[in-house]
Amino acid sequence: DEGKRHVVDGDIVGYFVNGGFVPSNGALPVGAPGRIDSKEWGNVAMCDMVFRDVLSDLTAFYSINDAVWLYCMCVIRTCYPDVKDYQIQRRYRESFLSEMYADVPMSRNSICLKLQDVGRESNRIRDFMRFRVGTIAIDEEVVIDGSLQQCESDVNTLSQVSRKTYKTGTRQYLMMYAYGSERHEPICSKVYAGNMTDGRAVADFIRSFGIEHGTIVADKGFRIGTIEAALKDLDGVHYILPLHRDELVITEYGMYDFDSHLKGTSVSCKKAEIPGTGRWLYSFRDPEIAADEERLYLEHHEEGYVPEEFALRKREFGTVVFQSDWDMDCAKVYSMYDDRWLIELMFRTYKVDLDLDDTRVHSDYSVVATNFVNFLSALLTSRLLRAFGAVKELETVPFGYTMDMLRCKRKSRVDGDEWENERYTEKDSDLLARLGLIDRPIVVLEPKKKAGRPKGS
């Protein structure tokens, strides 16, 4: 511009240190302020090993920068439960994640802006969830359930006082989840207003993500009419719904008059068809659960004990009755509902281990995006639990304790920018090798020598 000079920021070619020029490839030189020479490695490396394929899936719906940002966010939230937004950048820089995926914006302001952008493009989240739903096998059981998450914002329209929280006055939103009981991980999720019931949300949930195959194993909060209306014209989707013990259909078909039992168990069962409806009833009685319920009943009715009422209630102890639109063996029904505890375990992990039950954002867009990041964190946690469960030494070790053990495994810089694992104990090295994080060293065993001095010495 008319011979004027303008300053143009270019690449870093070096630094002046102690009065001398030190060439650089862009990284901070040894001794430069802000350089971190030892970083937490084991926890983020384990996450990356079991979760890297999801990053490839994310790149099909997001730019590479946005996909990496979402990926790193869920890794940090999994490795560092209850981390606040203003702490994420420090956790990122002090962990080896910043070496695996460099220059990811993790400041508090950038996180706030990025959540807004991700939430605004909700169709990308929907398409990603549909992609995961498309991997459901025809015979795979899908557990669908909802959970209320606390969110006290007065700004967004999702936070509402529900029938479960109106007495306490807390505001929450509803999170619907689909969980694959065979793959042991969540498949998709979506948020709804907190005052919407599970039964009304499930219809929209199934239609939004195009769930066309599987079996919905619901809980007693779902109504049969709502389920059947949601599954209309979906021949590949079936349901198993537990009934309340006071339902008239149970007495009408004598579902407490058991006529068989499950092989290899002490559980009694019965199956009956409801003529002209295309529905079947399945009932079960577990004597161990019945004994516990009887004991609890007697403990709570010491003063107001009525023999006639106890005789009527005793017949119901330890029982559960299901209604389904699918004709199958009793053993199959019982097995499918018995696996339903997996989604309860996922919600417990979501709220306790990851501490994600309180949303600290305000707008609708931020809530939607935060739920998506939390979904990815729950998916990652499910894979970590599977990986830890495959190692015998970790079968009974709490999830948090294992993650803390891995967090203590660090990498340090040696000879410039090269990174090496720090020295670990032999026991920890063997455990890391079993998890697949390091190669098992080949140790040459020397032949054992006989104890004592050689003969004739």
Side-chain angles (χ1 to χ4, degrees), residues 303-420:
E303 298 180 359
Y305 176 75
V306 179
E308 294 78 10
E309 181 182 350
F310 174 72
L312 293 174
R313 294 290 301 274
K314 185 176 181 179
R315 197 181 184 196
E316 301 176 351
F317 292 154
T319 63
V320 59
V321 183
F322 302 99
Q323 182 167 301
S324 176
D325 64 338
W326 199 6
D327 181 12
M328 54 190 137
D329 294 333
C330 288
K332 177 68 173 177
V333 176
Y334 192 79
S335 174
M336 292 171 69
Y337 195 78
D338 192 46
D339 286 341
R340 195 185 183 282
W341 70 272
L342 293 169
I343 198 168
E344 303 298 339
L345 176 64
M346 186 199 71
F347 281 131
R348 186 193 67 80
T349 301
Y350 187 91
K351 294 180 178 181
V352 178
D353 292 334
L354 298 183
D355 197 16
L356 300 177
D357 61 326
D358 185 5
T359 301
R360 293 179 291 268
V361 292
H362 296 284
S363 72
D364 286 3
Y365 301 127
S366 295
V367 170
V368 170
T370 299
N371 179 73
F372 184 43
V373 173
N374 292 346
F375 166 82
L376 295 174
S377 299
L379 174 59
L380 171 55
T381 303
S382 300
R383 295 193 175 185
L384 289 172
L385 287 169
R386 272 201 324 232
F388 296 157
V391 179
K392 185 177 181 180
E393 292 83 354
L394 298 177
E395 287 180 344
T396 59
V397 178
F399 174 79
Y401 181 87
T402 304
M403 291 300 291
D404 282 342
M405 182 274 296
L406 290 174
R407 183 176 61 85
C408 296
K409 304 301 174 283
R410 308 175 69 92
K411 276 183 179 286
S412 299
R413 294 183 194 267
V414 293
D415 300 330
D417 291 327
E418 296 296 326
W419 291 88
E420 284 188 1

Side-chain angles (χ1 to χ4, degrees), residues 88-380:
I88 289 178
Q89 186 174 44
R90 178 175 66 85
R91 290 296 190 182
Y92 168 74
R93 294 185 63 234
E94 294 178 357
S95 72
F96 206 72
L97 190 65
S98 55
E99 300 296 327
M100 298 175 180
Y101 305 96
D103 302 325
V104 180
M106 287 293 176
S107 67
R108 184 175 184 176
N109 289 337
S110 62
I111 290 174
C112 180
L113 294 175
K114 187 64 72 174
L115 286 175
Q116 291 277 354
D117 292 341
V118 172
R120 290 188 181 103
E121 297 182 307
S122 58
N123 284 350
R124 294 182 187 269
I125 299 176
R126 180 203 61 194
D127 293 342
F128 176 81
M129 298 295 184
R130 285 180 175 176
F131 167 76
R132 289 187 51 78
V133 168
T135 64
I136 299 176
I138 295 178
D139 57 347
E140 184 174 357
E141 294 103 32
V142 179
V143 182
I144 294 180
D145 201 357
S147 177
L148 290 171
Q149 308 298 317
Q150 185 172 340
C151 184
E152 295 294 346
S153 172
D154 294 328
V155 178
N156 71 70
T157 60
L158 296 171
S159 301
Q160 300 291 336
V161 177
S162 70
R163 60 183 176 83
K164 295 181 180 180
T165 61
Y166 78 96
K167 290 184 177 180
T168 61
T170 58
R171 300 167 66 88
Q172 297 176 316
Y173 67 86
L174 173 65
M175 179 182 63
M176 295 294 299
Y177 255 95
Y179 188 90
S181 60
E182 294 183 8
R183 65 181 76 183
H184 304 304
E185 66 181 37
I187 298 174
C188 58
S189 75
K190 187 177 180 181
V191 293
Y192 295 90
N195 57 356
M196 184 177 294
T197 62
D198 293 355
R200 291 186 62 84
V202 69
D204 177 77
F205 186 76
I206 292 173
R207 299 291 176 178
S208 295
F209 297 137
I211 300 177
E212 298 179 351
H213 303 288
T215 303
I216 298 176
V217 188
D219 62 11
K220 294 180 181 179
F222 290 86
R223 297 179 181 272
I224 293 177
T226 303
I227 290 286
E228 291 185 337
L231 302 184
K232 187 179 180 181
D233 302 328
L234 295 176
D235 297 333
V237 184
H238 304 279
Y239 69 86
I240 297 177
L241 183 68
L243 302 178
H244 293 279
R245 288 177 175 176
D246 58 354
E247 293 279 355
L248 296 178
V249 70
I250 297 176
T251 305
E252 182 180 354
Y253 289 91
M255 297 310 296
Y256 291 147
D257 299 325
F258 303 100
D259 54 14
S260 184
H261 77 282
L262 301 181
K263 293 182 179 180
T265 70
S266 58
V267 177
S268 303
C269 62
K270 181 178 180 178
K271 173 182 175 181
E273 181 181 3
I274 304 178
T277 63
R279 301 173 183 169
W280 283 263
L281 297 173
Y282 305 87
S283 60
F284 304 90
R285 182 181 185 275
D286 189 325
E288 295 183 1
I289 298 177
D292 290 338
E293 291 187 11
E294 182 177 344
R295 176 179 56 81
L296 291 173
Y297 179 88
L298 293 175
E299 289 177 356
H300 288 81
H301 294 80
E302 290 182 356
E303 298 180 359
Y305 176 75
V306 179
E308 294 78 10
E309 181 182 350
F310 174 72
L312 293 174
R313 294 290 301 274
K314 185 176 181 179
R315 197 181 184 196
E316 301 176 351
F317 292 154
T319 63
V320 59
V321 183
F322 302 99
Q323 182 167 301
S324 176
D325 64 338
W326 199 6
D327 181 12
M328 54 190 137
D329 294 333
C330 288
K332 177 68 173 177
V333 176
Y334 192 79
S335 174
M336 292 171 69
Y337 195 78
D338 192 46
D339 286 341
R340 195 185 183 282
W341 70 272
L342 293 169
I343 198 168
E344 303 298 339
L345 176 64
M346 186 199 71
F347 281 131
R348 186 193 67 80
T349 301
Y350 187 91
K351 294 180 178 181
V352 178
D353 292 334
L354 298 183
D355 197 16
L356 300 177
D357 61 326
D358 185 5
T359 301
R360 293 179 291 268
V361 292
H362 296 284
S363 72
D364 286 3
Y365 301 127
S366 295
V367 170
V368 170
T370 299
N371 179 73
F372 184 43
V373 173
N374 292 346
F375 166 82
L376 295 174
S377 299
L379 174 59
L380 171 55

